[in-house]
Amino acid sequence: MDNLTSDTYKLVVKCHEDALPFNSHAGQYATLKVDGLNKPRAYSFAKSPKSENKNEYTFFIRQVPGGEFSNWLAKNRTGEKIIISAPLGYFKLDDSKDDMVCIAGGSGLAPIKSLLEGGVIDQIKRDVVFLFGARTQDDLYCVKELEEIKKNWNQEFKFDFIPVLNMEPEDSDWNGGRGFVTDYFEENVIRKNNLDISDWQGYLCGPPPMVDAASSLLQKHGIKVDEIFYDKFTDSSNL
């Protein structure tokens, strides 16, 4: 376990040496269950399967008020038994060569990061704009890893990584994007560059209100609904 931010953990689950691999693909998720809690919780893999250590699975988990599993993690649980079930879900890159916009918020970074790591490994031939929405600079994490993805992206194609903060103090030293991530994308990427994104694909993951707003925005600018792929990151604060 590691603290990524004040309320987000990196959790690595290590299976037994003789455990069968899940044969998952980047973008999928697992359920985690521990004794004493009512039900399993679903979390996206935070690494591409091809970049994980053998028998290890990495997750980003945000601590939320009333969250059974995340509050159980508040005490360091290193060495305790977790039952993991996977792979689940259909969120993944397809074989398209269309440009991509990826929008993530909070711990919704996990499946997007996993997809993009897989894109580097496979050297896919697609331009990407990736926007990561957070509250303040203290809530940004994995920035170095994302810069590495940008650095190692297929050199014949573009990769733009844009963090956007919506609660950063006005007098701070932050010179990057501000406001809601969807508003920033519309004003500072689409309109400022006079972009036609109608033949792009969208990949979204984060709090349900952000995913809904992003999906509506992409459809407004011509992306077909069946070219928008998403996981809504639900937790007890969304129920």
Side-chain angles (χ1 to χ4, degrees):
M1 287 182 61
D2 288 307
N3 286 84
L4 296 171
T5 71
S6 62
D7 64 359
T8 303
Y9 302 106
K10 174 184 175 182
L11 174 70
V12 180
V13 178
K14 184 174 179 63
C15 295
H16 298 296
E17 289 300 323
D18 58 352
L20 294 174
F22 286 134
N23 294 322
S24 58
H25 56 68
Q28 289 189 295
Y29 67 93
T31 61
L32 304 180
K33 177 73 169 70
V34 295
D35 291 339
L37 301 189
N38 288 331
K39 58 184 180 180
R41 293 296 298 178
Y43 297 100
S44 297
F45 294 113
K47 282 189 174 183
S48 164
K50 295 178 182 178
S51 60
E52 281 280 22
N53 294 326
K54 182 182 177 182
N55 289 330
E56 290 186 358
Y57 302 95
T58 303
F59 304 91
F60 299 155
I61 299 175
R62 187 171 73 92
Q63 188 173 21
V64 295
E68 265 200 327
F69 190 85
S70 64
N71 285 320
W72 178 82
L73 282 177
K75 296 180 181 178
N76 193 305
R77 300 294 181 170
T78 299
E80 297 210 29
K81 180 181 176 182
I82 291 179
I83 298 172
I84 177 171
S85 301
L88 300 166
Y90 303 96
F91 190 62
K92 65 177 182 177
L93 292 178
D94 62 14
D95 295 327
S96 169
K97 299 296 191 293
D98 295 335
D99 294 343
M100 299 163 52
V101 53
C102 301
I103 302 177
S107 54
L109 175 64
I112 302 293
K113 173 179 172 288
S114 174
L115 287 180
L116 297 174
E117 280 183 351
V120 169
I121 292 168
D122 296 334
Q123 285 293 282
I124 65 172
K125 299 178 179 180
R126 306 177 71 167
D127 289 342
V128 175
V129 177
F130 174 37
L131 299 100
F132 177 36
R135 292 166 297 194
T136 69
Q137 292 187 67
D138 290 339
D139 299 302
L140 291 174
Y141 61 97
C142 286
V143 173
K144 289 183 179 178
E145 290 91 334
L146 293 166
E147 291 292 350
E148 279 297 304
I149 290 173
K150 177 178 179 178
K151 175 183 173 183
N152 294 307
W153 197 254
N154 189 315
Q155 295 299 299
E156 297 179 9
F157 293 83
K158 297 179 189 175
F159 187 102
D160 290 327
F161 170 53
I162 307 171
V164 182
L165 308 180
N166 69 348
M167 295 178 65
E168 179 70 9
E170 290 294 332
D171 59 352
S172 78
D173 61 355
W174 177 250
N175 294 316
R178 290 178 180 267
F180 290 112
V181 65
T182 48
D183 294 342
Y184 186 91
F185 178 55
E186 184 171 41
E187 293 296 327
N188 294 279
V189 179
I190 298 175
R191 290 180 176 164
K192 187 174 181 179
N193 298 292
N194 197 28
L195 276 183
D196 177 6
I197 66 169
S198 59
D199 59 353
W200 289 26
Q201 287 187 330
Y203 291 84
L204 318 172
C205 191
M210 187 219 77
V211 171
D212 290 339
S215 179
S216 295
L217 174 66
L218 299 188
Q219 291 178 65
K220 171 185 171 182
H221 286 277
I223 299 182
K224 298 182 178 67
V225 67
D226 59 357
E227 296 293 337
I228 301 172
F229 310 98
Y230 57 84
D231 270 347
K232 292 183 179 180
F233 182 80
T234 55
D235 54 44
S236 62
S237 67
N238 302 123
L239 301 178

